């Protein structure tokens, strides 16, 4: 696959790893946060940590769309879905996210009409096919996904579809990063910037990080070499005592983002005064809601939504994991009470969730792995 | 809705028992890799624990072949059916059979409702296949169990069905040695369908076939007919009819053994299921190209079965049984056969109901209680309640 | 964040120029290219696909530059390794 | 709508051929009883004719056990599967098996759509069960076939499915010797579900089990993985994805025979179906309490399977095959095994994909193409298309 | 079963048979029509003809509710049923009646929503459960069944159910008997009167038969002894040169019928000017339609019904069979093209249809049967 | 015409006196007795059931009379048969 395979080359990874190792100042520890869950996924899926020196630690950030949905919103969605006239549509990732009484998947098994879609546009197809039902799209995701929801709303409006609406849970990444930067218990040396969000918002929004907090940011692609190169670029900035926003993913991310996408979002959605993030609490101006002009497509206004706040289960330490304070395995219930089969926190649900990524791909003794790899004939490290 | 907040507390309770060696001084004491390794070891122990199905309902995951499927198989099926042949959970069960010939049969069970007075789809699925083997003259030995579950099916119901299967298997002396589970979307099944295939062994040179029926043979039924079918029709509740009647579902291998021991010359046996006794009589007439002459007065039918049949305008002769067999024996052995069957609890109501005759080959006639004669043909269509 | 897959635009849908057929390793799907209306992709160009929408065009020039950099350090590394090996042999 | 006015003309056309001896002078010539008898004889001849299913769609009658059921069995199933063991249509098929041990397996097939590029539910149902027997080391001999049909299912589709089954059975050298048909109400199934159980015989003292895997063993896959699963996902049409890819459904008994002939020391085989190759690797790790170390680069995956998987955010390792097996062989036999498999058309793409190791028992690790290592656990849930 | 078993006693049958035989005047043939299909069913089901002397022939009349429905009405019903909002409810008997493109059963298999009911009241239950659908009850039957339909309509009206209607095909027996009496090709010696119809209409409506046509009528019950006794009573009238209406079934049939039932019919339905009967053609004032006052429950007015006339298949001789001109087996296609599996005419569908009754129960050589019975140990004749 | 089955009224439904529970050979069903409102049946009385409605009451007196007649001719017939047999034996 073009633009994929060439960025998975092991030889180049060794070269980059050597460069990174060479940049390590003796005795210094480096902590970088990959903001985006897609990066977390790549890191574990490809075993990228095998290439990093001990001194470099990756901290998994809050950029997993599913992980930050608070339980109350899941319950609200479930409440909507349980209306007999409603067909709820949802991305596959969302299906296993636990609300306080089970997931969409459980509700579907119990008879609630919840259907999985690949694209928000599929919801329109379902709406057209079921004119006597109300199709509600469970909109989740960061700025990457919001434009697709926006385009789908514009399309529905153009068609005059009257039975399609959006339960809007889109969130914006910058306030979350800011919240993390402001949290007292975390020391980071730099950020691996979210590549796909940046195709929409561009690189400028990160400048305050470099400027005000003095932390380097490298917007990174999603292949393992992209991430390794970004780490190298961060190390290089640190060694040169620079703190800038750089774009490793320039083949995909334009510096100014996608204006059409931003316009579409702006036309249909506006910032909420505040929104609850799982583990991070309420963050102001951190999420989107449907604009008044599209009230007829706003499920929150069309149907009454209980909107109760549900406290996370006490055992759940997702907040600490999302902030990068705890490693996934350091959560007390990790792997015993909380597993991908029975996720207690949402970080255990999505393949982008730090806990799930670690559990599914990373759960092994790296020292022993390294030995085995060296010995094993099937490997080729 | 599955789970409820209950599952979280459940999971945590279990977690408490995840024999975790306490790190004396808290986590700062050990280097990171050691602490991580301890967590991994704890997870490893948790994973090796006895699997438990946490969901209250079957979800698509239970059929996807992954962890949920494995948990379901181990916690529900293997746990109930446990035997050395099933236990390896390999792609096929391996065993030896001692006997010159092997009998193989299959049936799918789609009964609705799944639970009914006298049984449920589980014992039905075991007994039905045991019976097909038994009436073939085989000693039933091994069963397969293939489940098609509908998304949303309550796990508690599945557990009940499965434990009934095991009880039925134990009662019949057979083992369920291999199985399969598929889950289909909600609305693509009716809770639970079960297929069982069965393997039995024929000892000696017994040779049974309805094609062997000869004029002069007697036709025997092992007990009152139609109990199962009427029970099911009423259990559906749509007809609003109540009656104290229960399904006759039962394994017939014991009864068959008694019969064969007493009357080695038995020509053929069939278990009367869908289509009832009438269908079997027609199968005899057709296969052997003989006439069959039965007597209405001699056919045992319970009052309730008759009452319900009259109300619905259907004929008990066509109503399904699940624990009754029809046997064809030489005329001279009729008495001995009935005696042998009556000596077994499941044959207490055995009776000669007719005879094989030479004339009108292919046709089943019934001497009515009224003293007339009528044809009893294969049923056309379903036995539909009728007004006229 | 969120899955993005590179695909090659194969053709623009005749009736709805909002839609384009893309090819991902021999697999084809119609996707919405409305988000690229400022500079619509042409057949042969590559786009990044996310939930049925093209989110951005892939800049081949930038990709080549990135590859060049990676190859250069790869080469440097190999030279170094080779040099090291030679020094060991000696 | 079934029939259409066409069925009347059909019936009449057939009636014309009901070799009716013409009464010379018309009906007034003969006494009533003789005329009646002639009509009865004519009917008798018509009834003994080859049965034909006239309906275009399956109705509840086809499952009621009466005439329609019998017609369906004879005209569709018996006609396609005809063999001496099936033909008596008794309650069980009888046969002898020559071999010390017998293998028994079952699987239900609920694939949707029923027809897909490269096959349909019919050949799938035969191949799948043939494969479970084959990978157990058995020579597949006899199959059962249990159909659950949905009211309204087109008879033409059923006929296609059944003839594919027969073709697959012939190709695999097995016979379908007994069967069952149930019809459920519209909305209680998805057209057609099939269960097949299979009996095979183990010759010699071959003993295969994933529990026998030992450190040092090589793990081989017989060809590119995931073709079937991706074909089915795309064939459903919901994803609007096109690709020139067809199911790999195929009977593996020939390939297994070649492998066993070349490498008698084979430890175990599994056919990779639901859950894909990843699941089998986990089964090996768990059953033998060993580690498994596979290499991503060595696992054959077609471009289209990879492309579709990337688009959908799923991992080909978990995608189903229906004509691929995973074999565990002693390390020293790996080369011979691959050579033997490549000599067979269904093993042309065979490759060593990994090895059994002693450390990290119970865990499957994958050396990624990138040079890292990751765990490959059992799949949780369905492979769901994902956005993130 | 009380009131059933005692009327199935073989000994008494032999006695009656002897009495009947004794009444036969040498050389004379007796032809009685049992008007009611229920009687036809009893006759064949119990093998009653085995008791009758050669000289007595039973002619099967038109009193099978299903047999007289013309194909056009079935097609109309199918048209109604195929509307997406309609749930059609029907008695089981009706399910296999062939229209010009298959039966209800076929349509159901093809996806049309047709449900079987035991009682018209069950349709109300379905209507209550499906408030957004239109439930149409396929009302068929003679005066026996019409009161149940009427009571159901009254109940629906009382409840204010707005989604229940009736596709009314109720017919009345007297005009059909009159049509048969007026048909030139049939000679009958008397009538076995329909017992259950008479519970509603009583015995008076038959008086014209005795008075104007000089034929005796005996209203008969449905057990075989009832019919045998009725034949005996007819023979007795003939031997005494009487022609009267007598009531053999007095345990159930009041001479004046059931006034409540007649009132219920009269309140909800009225005579149609004419109606087509299968095989008998159009007969004036022979059927019921819904009264104007209940127009909201009349499916014919609520929905457009094509109302096309469909000619019976050419081969079909149901008309002759219904009039008693042909014996079932004398129809050219009987038993080869027309069987219960593939009925060409409706007389082959219902167990009350003469052809079906003969095919299902009577299709054997009676002479040989008699011999076999005598020889067979299982019988007890 | 149309199926009619005799059943014994077991009880009148307390809330809806339109309904009665009848017993047919040990099988019970609620049926509508609205058509007998001129003279509603009491428990112990028998009715004729058709499509869920009681169509008429069964008159036990008339039934007994019918039986009597049948028995009388039955008796006469048996006497005759007996006489005939005796004459044959003689
Ligand atoms: S292990 Fe579970 S509860 Fe703990 S942080 Fe991870 S997702 Fe949250
Ligand atoms: S055989 Fe068929 S077509 Fe002929 S009269 Fe009877 S029902 Fe009608
Ligand atoms: Mg809903
Ligand atoms: Mg069977
Ligand atoms: Mg069976
Ligand atoms: Mg059987
Ligand atoms: Mg299986
Ligand atoms: Mg299997
Ligand atoms: Mg299998
Ligand atoms: Mg297998
Ligand atoms: Mg069967
Ligand atoms: Mg409809």
């Amino acid at each position: 696959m073009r633009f994929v395979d060439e960025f998975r080359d092991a030889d180049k990874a060794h070269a980059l790893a050597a460069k990174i190792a060479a940049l390590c100042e003796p005795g210094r520890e480096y902590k970088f946060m990959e903001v985006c869950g897609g990066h977390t996924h790549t890191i574990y899926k490809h075993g990228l940590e095998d290439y990093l020196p001990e001194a470099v630690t990756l901290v998994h950030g809050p950029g997993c769309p599913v992980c930050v949905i608070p339980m109350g919103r899941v319950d609200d969605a479930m409440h909507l879905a349980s209306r007999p006239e409603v067909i709820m549509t949802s991305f596959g990732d969302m299906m296993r996210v636990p609300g306080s009484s089970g997931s969409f998947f459980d509700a579907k098994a119990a008879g609630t009409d919840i259907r999985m879609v690949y694209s928000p546009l599929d919801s329109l197809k379902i709406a057209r096919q079921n004119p006597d039902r109300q199709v509600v799209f469970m909109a989740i995701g960061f700025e990457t996904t919001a434009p697709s929801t926006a385009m789908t709303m514009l399309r529905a409006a153009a068609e005059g579809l009257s039975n399609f609406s959006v339960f809007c849970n889109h969130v914006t990444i910058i306030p979350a990063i800011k919240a993390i930067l402001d949290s007292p218990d975390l020391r980071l040396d730099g950020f691996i910037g979210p590549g796909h969000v940046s195709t929409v918002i561009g690189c400028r929004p990160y400048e305050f990080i470099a400027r005000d907090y003095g932390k380097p940011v490298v917007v990174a692609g999603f292949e393992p070499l992209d991430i390794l190169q970004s780490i190298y670029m961060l190390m290089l900035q640190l060694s040169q005592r620079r703190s800038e926003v750089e774009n490793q993913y320039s083949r995909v991310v334009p510096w100014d983002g996608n204006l059409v996408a931003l316009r579409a979002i702006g036309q249909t959605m506006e910032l909420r005064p505040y929104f609850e993030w799982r583990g991070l609490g309420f963050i102001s101006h951190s999420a989107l809601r449907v604009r008044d002009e599209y009230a007829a497509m706003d499920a929150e206004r069309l149907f009454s939504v209980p909107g109760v706040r549900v406290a996370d289960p006490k055992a759940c330490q997702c907040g600490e994991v999302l902030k990068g304070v705890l490693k996934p395995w350091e959560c007390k219930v990790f792997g015993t009470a909380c597993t991908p089969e029975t996720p207690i926190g949402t970080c255990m649900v999505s393949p982008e969730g730090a806990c799930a990524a670690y559990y599914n791909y990373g759960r092994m003794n790296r020292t022993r792995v390294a030995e085995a790899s060296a010995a094993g004939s099937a490997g080729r490290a | 809705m599955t789970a409820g907040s209950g599952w979280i507390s459940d999971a945590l309770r279990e977690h408490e028992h995840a024999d975790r060696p306490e790190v004396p001084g808290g986590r700062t004491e050990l280097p990171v890799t050691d602490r991580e390794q301890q967590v991994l070891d704890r997870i490893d122990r948790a994973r090796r624990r006895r699997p438990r199905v946490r969901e209250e309902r079957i979800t698509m995951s239970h059929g996807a072949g992954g962890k949920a499927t494995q948990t379901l198989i181990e916690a529900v099926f293997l746990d109930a059916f446990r035997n050395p042949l099933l236990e390896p959970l390999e792609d096929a069960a391996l065993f030896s059979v001692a006997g010159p010939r092997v009998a193989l049969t299959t049936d799918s069970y789609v009964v609705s409702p799944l639970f009914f007075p006298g049984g449920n789809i589980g014992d039905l699925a075991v007994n039905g296949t045991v019976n097909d083997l038994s009436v073939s003259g085989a000693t039933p030995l091994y069963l397969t169990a293939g489940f098609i579950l509908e998304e949303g099916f309550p796990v508690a119901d599945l557990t009940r069905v499965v434990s009934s299967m095991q009880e039925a298997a134990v009662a019949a002396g057979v083992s369920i040695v291999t199985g399969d589970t598929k889950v289909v979307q909600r609305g693509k099944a009716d809770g639970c369908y079960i297929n069982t295939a069965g393997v039995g062994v024929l000892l000696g040179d017994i040779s049974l076939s309805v094609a062997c029926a000869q004029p002069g043979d007697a036709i025997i039924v092992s007990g009152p007919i139609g109990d199962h079918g009427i029970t099911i029709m009423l259990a559906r509740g749509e007809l609003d009819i109540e009656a104290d009647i229960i399904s006759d579902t039962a394994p017939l291998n014991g009864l068959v053994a008694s019969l064969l021991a007493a009357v080695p010359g038995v020509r053929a046996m069939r278990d009367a299921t869908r289509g009832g006794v009438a269908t079997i009589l027609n199968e005899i007439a057709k296969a052997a190209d003989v006439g069959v002459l039965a007597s209405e007065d001699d056919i045992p039918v319970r009052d309730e079965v008759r009452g319900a049949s009259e109300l619905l305008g259907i004929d008990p002769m066509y109503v399904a049984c699940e624990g009754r067999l029809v046997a064809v024996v030489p005329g001279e052995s009729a008495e001995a056969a009935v005696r042998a069957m009556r000596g077994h609890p499941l044959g207490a109501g055995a009776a000669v109901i007719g005879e094989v005759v030479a004339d009108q080959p292919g046709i089943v006639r019934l001497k009515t209680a009224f003293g007339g004669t009528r044809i009893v043909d294969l049923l056309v269509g379903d036995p539909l309640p009728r007004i006229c | 964040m969120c899955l993005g897959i590179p695909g090659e635009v194969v053709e623009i849908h005749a009736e709805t120029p909002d839609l384009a057929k893309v090819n991902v390793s021999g697999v084809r799907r119609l996707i919405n290219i409305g988000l690229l209306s400022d500079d619509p992709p042409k057949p042969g160009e590559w786009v990044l696909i996310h939930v049925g929408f093209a989110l951005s065009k892939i800049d081949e020039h930038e990709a080549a530059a990135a590859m060049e950099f990676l190859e250069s350090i790869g080469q440097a590394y190999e030279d170094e390794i080779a040099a090291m090996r030679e020094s060991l042999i000696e």
Side-chain angles (χ1 to χ4, degrees), chain B residues 142-374:
Chain B
Y142 302 113
L143 261 52
T144 69
F147 293 83
I148 297 177
L149 304 176
E150 185 186 10
E151 181 190 19
F153 185 60
V155 171
D157 287 357
L158 179 62
T159 309
R160 256 177 88 191
V161 165
V162 164
S163 74
S164 296
M165 288 181 81
Q166 177 62 6
E167 279 166 33
V170 168
V174 297
S175 305
I176 296 165
V177 295
T178 188
D180 177 56
T181 318
K182 295 293 186 305
V183 177
V184 296
Q185 295 267 2
R186 192 168 253 272
K188 301 290 183 197
D190 197 9
C192 169
Y193 297 146
I194 302 178
N195 176 285
T196 50
V199 168
V201 65
L202 282 95
L203 298 172
D205 57 356
I206 185 161
S207 164
L208 301 170
S209 168
V210 285
C212 301
Q214 291 171 24
D217 286 355
I219 297 173
I220 301 173
V221 71
S222 66
I225 66 172
D227 294 3
H228 177 75
I230 294 293
T231 301
I232 294 301
M233 269 188 242
L234 303 193
R236 285 187 190 143
E238 292 157 12
L239 299 168
D240 286 331
I241 297 174
E242 310 155 15
D244 298 326
I245 185 164
I246 66 169
S247 167
D248 49 40
T249 177
L252 293 172
N253 46 347
L255 179 64
V256 165
S258 306
L259 174 60
L260 288 178
V263 182
V266 170
R267 307 250 196 243
M269 289 175 285
R270 288 263 160 126
D271 58 326
T273 56
R274 273 186 306 179
V277 167
T279 302
I280 294 180
L281 298 183
N282 272 281
E283 286 168 356
I284 296 168
K286 191 181 169 194
D289 204 23
V290 292
V292 167
L293 191 59
S295 165
E296 196 172 33
D297 262 347
D298 299 330
I299 300 173
V301 183
R302 285 188 208 283
D303 279 354
E304 294 84 355
V305 169
R306 216 184 134 201
S309 298
E310 291 280 349
L311 256 180
L312 300 172
I314 59 180
D315 185 339
M317 293 277 287
Y318 294 99
V319 177
C321 320
E322 284 292 345
R324 301 289 173 239
L325 64 80
V326 173
V328 183
V329 303
E332 63 274 17
S333 311
E335 209 180 306
V338 169
R339 207 177 324 112
M341 288 166 85
R342 289 198 179 149
H344 190 280
L346 290 171
V352 173
I353 62 164
E355 57 175 336
V356 177
V357 295
D359 76 321
Q360 304 258 95
I363 286 185
V364 177
R365 281 163 295 156
L366 185 73
K367 293 296 304 170
T368 67
F370 181 64
T373 312
R374 73 167 204 245

Side-chain angles (χ1 to χ4, degrees), chain A residues 278 315-322 326-329 331-335 338-339 342-349 354-356:
Chain A
R278 182 171 263 236
C316 171
Q317 298 188 278
C318 291
E320 279 74 11
V321 169
L322 283 171
L326 285 189
K327 298 224 149 255
W329 58 264
C331 171
K332 281 199 214 74
V333 293
F334 178 86
C338 186
T339 66
T342 54
I344 286 181
T346 42
C347 302
M348 195 52 107
V349 175
C355 294

Side-chain angles (χ1 to χ4, degrees), chain B residues 105-107 132:
Chain B
T105 191
T106 189
D107 264 310
D132 274 341

Side-chain angles (χ1 to χ4, degrees), chain B residues 126-152:
Chain B
V126 169
N127 290 337
T129 292
V130 162
N131 292 349
D132 274 341
L133 292 172
S134 304
V135 297
S136 304
T139 305
L141 296 175
Y142 302 113
L143 261 52
T144 69
F147 293 83
I148 297 177
L149 304 176
E150 185 186 10
E151 181 190 19

